[in-house]
Amino acid sequence: MQSDAPFTGNVHLRAARAEDAAAVTEVFLASRAAAMPYLPRLHSDEATLWWVTNVVLADTRVWLAEDAGTGALLGFAALDGALLDHLYLRPDVRRRGIGTLLLGAVKEASPEELSLHVFQRNTGARAFYERHGFVPVDSNDGSRNEENEPDLTYRWTV
């Protein structure tokens, strides 16, 4: 992945393949570090790559947003049934409509409803989902995630 490649402004969405695991892992790690520096780093880069390869890409439907000019991975979204499991962007391309494009693809794939979990302190993500019609329906003290970070469940319905 060319994470330092400048973004040309043209985005192409496509389904992820097994060979995308390293690039997806890099975006995942960079995005979490930039947007949620308060989260503990629980796993090595190698363990995270294993998880992306053998769990995320193997068990969920994953869309990639790529720079149409350079082919660089800009972000990804993973859907497990009606649960949006992940939506992460490269830190340098946030607030350019890429998350909205990925979320649109996920909504098309689950047109009746979607739910997701977001850390309570992740106010940027919460605002993004609320702008796109998601409403909080449940809160948790962190006992349901490995980071032990209080979270919220959001839901979107037609």
Side-chain angles (χ1 to χ4, degrees), residues 118-155:
V118 64
F119 296 118
Q120 290 181 23
R121 286 200 273 176
N122 192 348
T123 55
R126 291 174 57 191
F128 171 78
Y129 292 119
E130 289 171 10
R131 276 194 311 277
H132 289 281
F134 286 79
V135 295
V137 295
D138 179 44
S139 64
N140 182 271
D141 63 1
S143 59
R144 68 177 161 204
N145 63 67
E146 67 179 347
E147 294 88 354
N148 294 312
E149 182 71 25
D151 66 24
L152 296 164
T153 301
Y154 275 80
R155 182 163 291 127

Side-chain angles (χ1 to χ4, degrees), residues 58-115:
D59 296 342
T60 65
R61 186 170 175 193
V62 180
W63 290 263
L64 303 183
E66 294 179 322
D67 184 311
T70 66
L73 182 61
L74 304 172
F76 72 96
L79 181 66
D80 184 4
L83 177 68
L84 176 57
D85 245 357
H86 306 285
L87 196 159
Y88 288 97
L89 300 177
R90 240 175 49 186
D92 65 315
V93 299
R94 292 178 60 206
R95 293 181 177 81
R96 296 188 189 185
I98 299 163
T100 299
L101 287 173
L102 285 165
L103 186 58
V106 171
K107 282 182 171 182
E108 283 182 28
S110 184
E112 299 298 317
E113 72 173 317
L114 276 174
S115 61

Side-chain angles (χ1 to χ4, degrees), residues 4 12 20 23 34 39 43 48-49 51 54 62 69 72 80 107-108 117 126-127 131-133 144 146:
D4 56 350
H12 168 73
D20 297 314
L39 288 180
H43 305 285
T48 303
L49 174 60
W51 170 74
N54 296 290
V62 180
D80 184 4
K107 282 182 171 182
E108 283 182 28
H117 301 292
R126 291 174 57 191
R131 276 194 311 277
H132 289 281
R144 68 177 161 204
E146 67 179 347

